[in-house]
Amino acid sequence: MRPLLDTVLDALRTGAQDRYGPLPTGGPDTVTAHVRTALGEVLPDHGTGDHEALRTLVHTLAAGAADPAHPHCAAHLHCPPLAVAVAADLAAGALNPSLDSWDQAPAASAIETLLTRALAAEFHDTPHPDALITTGGTEANQLALLLARERHGPHLTVLHGANAHHSVPRAAWLLGLPPATELPTPTGVLDPTTLADTLATTPGPTLVTATAGTTDAGLIDPLPAIADLCDHHGADLHIDAAYGGLLALSPHHRHKLAGLGRAQSLTIDLHKLGWQPVAAGLLTVPDTTLLTPLTHQADYLNATDDTEAGLPDLLGRSLRTTRRPDALKIAATLRSLGRDGLTHLIDHTCRLAQDLARLLDAHPHFELHAPPTISTVLFRPTHATDDDVATLRRTLLHQGRAVLGRTHADGRLWLKATLLNPHTTAGDLDTLIALLEGSTHR
């Protein structure tokens, strides 16, 4: 593999040089045309060989990428992965363990067990916390609703704020539950008074889903008050902390997550503020017995006599059967950086968002929506219409100069910068503002 990796690394470099900025220029039609020309026949009659195939495809991929390592690629919760995690992922791909039976993944299953228990203990101060590796927040939220359904039956009512991730009501639909009830969040977070009124008039078993790090603005629901209400009304609580959950590692930021450990389940993503290659999600629970409903038996994978003889049963660790050892890259990252190294990255990234917010707030040509809670900054050019804001974003995308998101708040459209690159500098922020300012004056 060594010569092939040299080819891959060279192609990544040359592709990035051809792209130059955070995004290829020209928009979807131009990028598709370039890819079509580079690939030619997708299934040729005669192969071109390993090096040519890798050189062409990797170069094309890199030249046409939205590069999360570029400081002006800041639209989504799309992080630049750490090199140590990417390298560990290569080992996982090479060995190809599948975590559906122990005899396919002896060491990988042990690594996953140790990792999930250690990470679960970071969020739940209980004797037997546990966690499942998922593909991300969507799968974790779906599992959380599934476990709640199995605890309470098919007439479970799911309550969530309008700020919740779209996967929550979708999971209720997928699981055959009654349509989820959406509560208004005019301030961007769940209002405890509104939730209290709803819980008081909701019959039967109820699951409240709160959010710690919304996708639009990075806001965190008032978790202690929500947990108190759930306790008072006998409702279960799930917290989607896919974005904000790892703030719990930081002494500077963990106060924002007070009440997190009171939930029956938590969604955490490490391919956001954990800088992992996708996919790297978690569903954590305060006690491993809460995962019992996932128990499943298939004789060729976890025969009863094998389990009784001591072979670990892995089928209850996921709804998936064939499953990559995503725990490996996470474990390698934690060992490499340690708690202090990961905390430093989290703190620095949040500080960058505060710096960008201050720059925008002080700038006469921009309006800041609010100081950031995590690392998302909402802003817009002063005196711009919503159409102006949308056009500005698309213009920057087509020019390949900046990748910014968009969201509605307070009845208006805002540009969204989601900072997840710890290597972004103050100079990069200045350049981004200058670029935006120049574009607004065209």
Side-chain angles (χ1 to χ4, degrees):
M1 290 180 63
R2 291 183 190 276
L4 296 179
L5 294 180
D6 285 341
T7 298
V8 167
L9 293 174
D10 284 344
L12 285 171
R13 174 180 54 80
T14 60
Q17 289 172 342
D18 276 3
R19 175 176 22 87
Y20 182 72
L23 198 76
T25 60
D29 291 343
T30 300
V31 172
T32 300
H34 287 165
V35 171
R36 183 179 292 112
T37 299
L39 264 62
E41 290 292 327
V42 175
L43 180 59
D45 290 335
H46 304 287
T48 61
D50 295 345
H51 288 278
E52 192 283 332
L54 287 169
R55 188 180 304 111
T56 298
L57 285 166
V58 175
H59 177 102
T60 301
L61 180 69
D67 185 359
H70 194 287
H72 298 159
C73 188
H76 303 286
L77 290 164
H78 179 200
C79 72
L82 292 162
V84 64
V86 175
D89 223 16
L90 169 66
L95 291 168
N96 209 27
S98 180
L99 278 94
D100 48 323
S101 66
W102 181 86
D103 57 354
Q104 298 177 81
S109 62
I111 290 172
E112 181 179 90
T113 298
L114 294 170
L115 175 79
T116 50
R117 289 176 180 170
L119 287 176
E122 294 292 328
F123 303 101
H124 303 283
D125 186 16
T126 51
H128 304 291
D130 205 348
L132 302 178
I133 299 288
T134 72
T135 54
T138 294
E139 183 187 353
N141 286 338
Q142 180 185 334
L143 282 170
L145 267 65
L146 171 63
L147 293 173
R149 186 193 72 180
E150 295 306 292
R151 288 194 299 271
H152 299 293
H155 301 296
L156 175 74
T157 296
V158 177
L159 303 180
H160 66 88
N163 63 347
H165 193 262
H166 63 85
S167 61
V168 173
R170 193 179 192 195
W173 163 77
L174 184 65
L175 293 167
L177 295 171
T181 299
E182 179 181 297
L183 305 182
T185 54
T187 64
V189 295
L190 263 177
D191 175 28
T193 301
T194 301
L195 178 60
D197 292 343
T198 305
L199 284 171
T201 58
T202 301
T206 304
L207 174 70
V208 174
T209 62
T211 305
T214 60
T215 54
D216 57 354
L219 301 179
I220 297 173
D221 286 338
L223 303 180
I226 292 171
D228 288 344
L229 287 170
C230 289
D231 288 346
H232 179 73
H233 290 277
D236 281 4
L237 175 61
H238 169 67
I239 300 176
D240 179 356
Y243 181 9
L246 286 186
L247 294 180
L249 299 181
S250 167
H252 297 293
H253 294 284
R254 66 168 61 110
H255 67 277
K256 300 175 182 178
L257 298 178
L260 191 72
R262 296 173 63 183
Q264 275 78 24
S265 54
L266 298 175
T267 290
I268 308 288
D269 271 0
L270 287 100
H271 53 233
K272 294 181 173 66
L273 279 177
W275 294 280
Q276 298 300 292
V278 292
L282 288 177
L283 177 75
T284 77
V285 293
D287 193 279
T288 189
T289 58
L290 291 169
L291 301 176
T292 301
L294 298 179
T295 300
H296 183 66
Q297 208 272 327
D299 197 56
Y300 76 105
L301 294 173
N302 59 346
T304 302
D305 59 319
D306 278 348
T307 303
E308 292 173 350
L311 294 184
D313 179 357
L314 304 183
L315 276 188
R317 305 298 297 178
S318 178
L319 292 182
R320 293 172 284 150
T321 303
T322 302
R323 192 160 58 84
R324 296 184 79 250
D326 289 315
L328 177 64
K329 61 195 176 191
I330 302 171
T333 298
L334 298 183
R335 184 177 178 87
S336 171
L337 271 66
R339 184 185 299 273
D340 57 349
L342 192 55
T343 297
H344 170 74
L345 294 182
I346 293 168
D347 291 348
H348 182 66
T349 302
C350 292
R351 194 159 50 244
L352 285 168
Q354 296 286 345
D355 292 344
L356 177 60
R358 281 191 291 268
L359 289 171
L360 290 165
D361 196 32
H363 199 292
H365 295 146
F366 294 99
E367 177 184 355
L368 178 70
H369 180 261
T373 301
I374 306 178
S375 68
T376 299
V377 182
L378 302 187
F379 65 99
R380 54 184 286 142
T382 53
H383 310 301
T385 67
D386 283 0
D387 286 343
D388 293 336
V389 173
T391 299
L392 169 61
R393 175 179 175 272
R394 286 191 294 267
T395 298
L396 293 170
L397 288 176
H398 278 77
Q399 293 173 346
R401 303 172 78 187
V403 189
L404 296 172
R406 54 180 284 172
T407 191
H408 280 90
D410 301 332
R412 292 192 291 169
L413 184 65
W414 299 80
L415 294 172
K416 178 175 70 170
T418 306
L419 299 185
L420 286 180
N421 187 344
H423 293 296
T424 299
T425 66
D428 293 324
L429 299 180
D430 290 335
T431 301
L432 177 61
I433 291 177
L435 174 65
L436 287 162
E437 186 181 18
S439 296
T440 61
H441 293 165
R442 288 180 184 274

